[in-house]
Amino acid sequence: METNSNNTSNNTPPSGRGQGWASPLPHREKRGGESLYTLLVYSENVAGILNQITAVFTRRQVNIESLNVSASSIPGVHKYTITAWSDEDQILKITRQIEKKIDVVKANYFTDEELFIRETGLYKLATDKVLENPEISRTVRRHDASITEVNPTYTIVMKNGKTDEIISLFRALDEYGCVLQYTRSGRIAVTRGKQEQVSEFLEEREQRH
């Protein structure tokens, strides 16, 4: 794993690194020397902040893999869950630049091992092929997915799980030539700590003032 110059021998996390940081992390998914990182960004609920955040990725020529925006557990604070393939040095710079935005409260980046992650996949299958081939229904059950609607034209399957589980089911179904449409939701994630890290940050900031 590539380390940043801010890392110290006692494994102190660099600025922008989520709590629970540890190096090296085993079983990290890689693609061409890059890892998949998740950024959790907390901001005031103001217009235009999304454009400011995505512009940071554009300037660094890093593609956003998925993006989910929702209210956080703190009134008035929104949470952006962003995934991107990159190396740690680049993702650290992106996190720092985002955190400099005036309406951003806090930003951290994480690897998959440091978060509890879920996504939803929706699969629209051709009903005639589902009825012709019982193995398709068995594949759905083996992947712990559920059939939510059936009509003479199409069958809707839904799967909740980790990113690789969602993709795995798609690849398995696609082998039968039955997939009419397929889509994935943006990732949602929470840290493995007792509360959102922005809560701890805001509490510390209040104590300092």
Side-chain angles (χ1 to χ4, degrees):
M1 171 181 167
E2 189 176 318
T3 56
N4 185 274
S5 58
N6 288 323
N7 294 359
T8 60
S9 59
N10 64 353
N11 278 349
T12 300
S15 175
R17 197 70 167 94
Q19 291 180 357
W21 177 86
S23 178
L25 286 167
H27 310 303
R28 180 176 302 176
E29 186 178 2
K30 287 187 176 292
R31 185 180 71 179
E34 296 180 335
S35 297
L36 183 65
Y37 289 94
T38 300
L39 278 75
L40 299 184
V41 181
Y42 300 86
S43 78
E44 304 289 344
N45 186 17
V46 295
I49 187 64
L50 178 59
N51 288 337
Q52 295 180 46
I53 292 172
T54 56
V56 176
F57 287 86
T58 302
R59 285 196 296 270
R60 290 278 173 181
Q61 295 185 322
V62 174
N63 290 328
I64 292 175
E65 184 78 7
S66 69
L67 170 64
N68 180 281
V69 185
S70 65
S72 73
S73 59
I74 302 166
V77 175
H78 268 53
K79 179 178 181 179
Y80 299 75
T81 305
I82 307 167
T83 62
W85 289 94
S86 185
D87 58 72
E88 186 168 14
D89 181 62
Q90 180 83 291
I91 215 72
L92 174 60
K93 291 174 181 176
I94 289 173
T95 304
R96 286 175 171 171
Q97 288 179 359
I98 290 174
E99 205 164 31
K100 288 178 181 177
K101 303 298 179 183
I102 191 167
D103 295 310
V104 170
V105 179
K106 187 67 177 170
N108 291 108
Y109 68 93
F110 303 84
T111 57
D112 285 3
E113 295 88 349
E114 299 164 327
L115 298 169
F116 182 81
I117 297 164
R118 282 295 178 269
E119 288 187 21
T120 297
L122 282 178
Y123 313 79
K124 186 177 184 180
L125 312 182
T127 298
D128 56 348
K129 293 190 176 182
V130 173
L131 295 176
E132 289 171 4
N133 190 349
E135 192 59 34
I136 295 175
S137 295
R138 295 191 191 103
T139 299
V140 171
R141 290 194 296 271
R142 280 198 299 268
H143 284 78
D144 292 322
S146 59
I147 296 175
T148 61
E149 183 179 342
V150 179
N151 65 44
T153 305
Y154 60 81
T155 298
I156 301 296
V157 173
M158 183 171 66
K159 164 71 179 172
N160 295 315
K162 297 180 181 178
T163 306
D164 56 349
E165 296 170 348
I166 304 295
I167 296 172
S168 176
L169 176 55
F170 166 70
R171 289 174 177 166
L173 292 172
D174 198 42
E175 290 182 359
Y176 300 110
C178 62
V179 179
L180 300 175
Q181 293 182 39
Y182 159 65
T183 189
R184 282 166 46 206
S185 69
R187 170 177 290 190
I188 56 174
V190 293
T191 63
R192 296 189 179 274
K194 292 183 178 180
Q195 60 181 348
E196 301 203 59
Q197 290 185 10
V198 68
S199 302
E200 299 170 2
F201 172 78
L202 292 173
E203 288 172 4
E204 291 174 2
R205 191 169 69 176
E206 278 189 16
Q207 291 172 2
R208 287 198 300 268
H209 294 82

